[in-house]
Amino acid sequence: MELNRTIKRQVNKATITTIMNLVKYTSDKNLILLTHVLERVVKEDNKLVMKSIREQIKSGHPFKDYIKRILKDTNRQYRDQIVFNLILKNFIENQRKRIKARENGSYVPYTVLISPTMRCNLRCKGCYAGEYTTKDDLPIEEVDRIIDEGKKSGVAFFTILGGEPFILGEMLDIYKKHNDTFFQTYTNGTLINENVVEKLKKVGNVIPMISLEGYEPETDSRRGKGTYKKIMKGMDLLRKNGIPFGNSIMVTKHNYKLAMSDKFIDMLIKKGSYVVWYFLYMPVGRKPDPKLMPTPKQRAYMRKRRDYIRNNKPIFIIDFWNDAEYVGGCIAGKEYFHINNRGDIEPCIFTHFAVDNIKGKSLKQIMDSRLFKQYRKDQPFNDNLLLPCAIIDNPDVLRKYVKKFKMKPTHPGAEKIVTDVMLMKKLDKYSKKVRKVYEPIWKIHEEVKGDTIEED
């Protein structure tokens, strides 16, 4: 059976390689040909995806130009890694392992989030990770073990955060060693220089996700004077060397509109960005301030802008909260979890509480823990999938888990979100307001096109 799979895999790879050599000319005809080939390779439940992409190409949807950007502007090493390792092997072939785990009563996440260090060369205002200790790094041998276990169990890709991941030069060796899997690395972008770019080109399996708040005034006011120019220089280096990258935007009540404006998105596309992640500001970490959170109406505005951007711009965006409707609500403890620099296992990067530690435990043991089983049993936490979060949308959920499982805060001050009476009242008030805005939207369960949403 395994021999047949290996032969089939090699035949598929040879076929796709031939098509890829044609597709570099990026004509619509060649793109459509590629979708037909991939449709033959993928599992039944992914065939509809290939057909949908083919129809988008035929109709002239911006996604066609997005695919052309990837095929035309990325270097060969990255292009092959994305197609063969990320898509075919890790997303499609490894799905068999993930399904088998579920059938056996366990669970394999799509991605494992690892913060090997919390050291950073910046000190950004409101950083979610700003209160972790910087004295301890996760031993590189432990990182290596985690990735090795994850690959064998069927994890699709790994997400590296911090702190600033590029502070740890050893991580570049890890990327090289594990060249049969894929990484996205969340970075402030200031350490991306010629030396780093050359090493990334050689491995071809790391996509940097560079943090921004907006243009120079917005970014530098949070990250320090001169940061924006360093980020732009790093983005230019990546683009010129054909290294795909994306951006991560922390959305507050002040920058939500700018961050999703045509002008800003067009700038990112011109700079070479392929992906934009939008994360709401969360009142955790360094000097948490609920007043910075986007209002419920601003969140709803972002949802409408998300759909506009997807239908009009050749870039892939993820609105982490509003896109919960496509993944069944909160996916913490199910499709991902976070390992911090001390090895503590957190359900997500914003939930700074833990029961277990990765040291001395396998990924399977972590996924089979009582806490994560309870998470999966209770998800979604709200019938309205646009209200996914256990911290700001359904704050009683996190409080219940902390108490029931005796979860320990993973840094000083983390406990305030479940013990500070004033902060708890503010989150309760926020959750009621967001429910009021999103209930009518969810009730019709479709875009409220044409409706006007007032902006606070």
Side-chain angles (χ1 to χ4, degrees), residues 245-258:
F245 67 90
N247 293 98
S248 173
I249 315 293
M250 186 193 75
V251 184
T252 71
K253 66 186 299 181
H254 302 301
N255 73 339
Y256 77 100
K257 200 169 184 180
L258 181 153

Side-chain angles (χ1 to χ4, degrees), residues 341-389:
N341 62 317
R342 297 179 66 178
D344 297 321
I345 304 295
E346 300 170 334
C348 82
I349 59 169
F350 301 119
T351 304
H352 298 175
F353 293 87
V355 173
D356 293 307
N357 192 287
I358 194 63
K359 296 172 183 175
K361 289 197 174 183
S362 67
L363 295 183
K364 185 178 187 304
Q365 286 176 305
I366 297 301
M367 291 304 292
D368 290 346
S369 68
R370 289 177 59 242
L371 175 64
F372 282 2
K373 282 185 175 180
Q374 189 71 55
Y375 259 77
R376 296 193 292 271
K377 181 181 178 181
D378 294 346
Q379 290 164 338
F381 300 131
N382 198 305
D383 291 336
N384 185 337
L385 299 183
L386 296 172
L387 304 173
C389 186

Side-chain angles (χ1 to χ4, degrees), residues 398-450:
L398 177 60
R399 296 166 194 167
K400 178 182 71 174
Y401 288 162
V402 170
K403 183 177 181 180
K404 180 177 180 179
F405 294 97
K406 296 180 172 56
M407 299 176 73
K408 303 297 182 183
T410 51
H411 62 73
E415 72 282 353
K416 289 182 180 179
I417 204 158
V418 296
T419 60
D420 186 306
V421 175
M422 289 302 297
L423 178 56
M424 292 166 69
K425 284 183 178 180
K426 290 177 181 178
L427 291 177
D428 288 339
K429 185 177 181 181
Y430 180 88
S431 67
K432 289 177 182 178
K433 286 184 176 181
V434 77
R435 188 173 292 114
K436 185 177 180 180
V437 169
Y438 271 100
E439 277 179 350
I441 298 176
W442 185 249
K443 189 175 182 179
I444 60 174
H445 202 195
E446 62 181 7
E447 280 302 311
V448 193
K449 294 177 179 176

Side-chain angles (χ1 to χ4, degrees), residues 6 40 73 198 211 214 236 266-267 285 291 294 325 380 399 412:
T6 301
R40 288 168 45 199
D73 296 337
E198 283 303 312
S211 298
D236 288 340
D266 290 343
M267 182 275 288
K291 294 193 295 293
E325 61 180 306
R399 296 166 194 167

Side-chain angles (χ1 to χ4, degrees), residues 1-13:
M1 180 68 75
E2 187 58 37
L3 177 61
N4 289 338
R5 286 177 182 169
T6 301
I7 293 173
K8 184 178 180 180
R9 189 182 300 121
Q10 292 301 320
V11 171
N12 288 338
K13 184 173 182 178

Side-chain angles (χ1 to χ4, degrees), residues 211-228:
S211 298
L212 281 172
E213 274 65 54
Y215 296 108
E216 188 168 9
E218 295 80 20
T219 300
D220 283 4
S221 68
R222 183 182 184 229
R223 299 180 178 273
K225 188 175 181 180
T227 301
Y228 182 81

Side-chain angles (χ1 to χ4, degrees), residues 217-278:
E218 295 80 20
T219 300
D220 283 4
S221 68
R222 183 182 184 229
R223 299 180 178 273
K225 188 175 181 180
T227 301
Y228 182 81
K229 289 180 179 177
K230 291 179 181 177
I231 292 172
M232 292 298 109
K233 182 179 179 181
M235 289 168 65
D236 288 340
L237 273 173
L238 293 169
R239 184 188 72 253
K240 290 174 182 177
N241 285 274
I243 298 175
F245 67 90
N247 293 98
S248 173
I249 315 293
M250 186 193 75
V251 184
T252 71
K253 66 186 299 181
H254 302 301
N255 73 339
Y256 77 100
K257 200 169 184 180
L258 181 153
M260 301 192 90
S261 66
D262 283 351
K263 183 179 178 182
F264 185 68
I265 292 295
D266 290 343
M267 182 275 288
L268 293 181
I269 294 171
K270 186 176 180 180
K271 280 287 181 181
S273 181
Y274 290 91
V275 183
V276 184
W277 287 86
Y278 290 97

